[in-house]
Amino acid sequence: MKTIKNTNIFALALPFAILLTYPFIQEGAFGFSLLSTMITGFLQFCIGVKMLVDNPKNKDLQIYMTGVIVFFILWFINIDLNYNDILSYVSFSMPPILAIYLTLIIYKIP
């Protein structure tokens, strides 16, 4: 569990650490910080899958995975609808909510 917590801390801190390099690497720091959020999402998804495999009856992890699936379904639907404004706002708000939710799950489980 300590490895999962450390991986989650690394995943959450990575975009902020890259953004802190902005005074030195002005051109690419913001873009790389935004791109690193995809790494954060992938690492958190892997953590969520591992935790769900280890504990398949945990309702919180099932809700997290359902949220991830709903996010990608909405994303693909939004592409087909030529980027509907309401779905775009929901799509932008879901990843931070899912990241916070998984972090709370990680620290809630002993």
Side-chain angles (χ1 to χ4, degrees), residues 48-63:
V49 168
K50 188 215 177 297
M51 289 175 66
L52 188 63
V53 167
D54 291 345
N55 193 1
K57 301 228 186 251
N58 188 330
K59 294 290 183 196
D60 292 329
L61 292 171
Q62 292 173 353
I63 291 170

Side-chain angles (χ1 to χ4, degrees), residues 78-99:
N78 201 12
I79 291 170
D80 287 340
L81 296 176
N82 293 325
Y83 295 101
N84 183 330
D85 286 341
I86 295 171
L87 288 179
S88 293
Y89 294 139
V90 171
S91 295
F92 284 129
S93 65
M94 281 186 76
I97 292 169
L98 289 170

Side-chain angles (χ1 to χ4, degrees), residues 10 17 19-20 24 28 37 39 42 47-48 71 77-78 82 92 100:
F10 170 76
L19 193 59
L20 287 175
F24 310 109
T37 59
I39 296 170
F42 178 72
I47 289 169
F71 168 74
I77 289 172
N78 201 12
N82 293 325
F92 284 129
I100 292 168

Side-chain angles (χ1 to χ4, degrees), residues 1-107:
M1 194 64 185
K2 186 174 181 172
T3 305
I4 289 174
K5 287 181 182 180
N6 289 337
T7 304
N8 187 53
I9 290 170
F10 170 76
L12 292 175
L14 181 65
F16 296 111
I18 293 173
L19 193 59
L20 287 175
T21 65
Y22 181 77
F24 310 109
I25 311 169
Q26 292 183 354
E27 295 175 2
F30 188 68
F32 288 134
S33 178
L34 288 175
L35 288 174
S36 69
T37 59
M38 289 188 284
I39 296 170
T40 299
F42 178 72
L43 287 173
Q44 283 203 325
F45 174 74
C46 291
I47 289 169
V49 168
K50 188 215 177 297
M51 289 175 66
L52 188 63
V53 167
D54 291 345
N55 193 1
K57 301 228 186 251
N58 188 330
K59 294 290 183 196
D60 292 329
L61 292 171
Q62 292 173 353
I63 291 170
Y64 172 76
M65 283 301 162
T66 304
V68 171
I69 292 168
V70 167
F71 168 74
F72 282 106
I73 289 172
L74 287 177
W75 187 27
F76 288 123
I77 289 172
N78 201 12
I79 291 170
D80 287 340
L81 296 176
N82 293 325
Y83 295 101
N84 183 330
D85 286 341
I86 295 171
L87 288 179
S88 293
Y89 294 139
V90 171
S91 295
F92 284 129
S93 65
M94 281 186 76
I97 292 169
L98 289 170
I100 292 168
Y101 187 61
L102 183 65
T103 301
L104 292 175
I105 293 170
I106 289 171
Y107 285 99

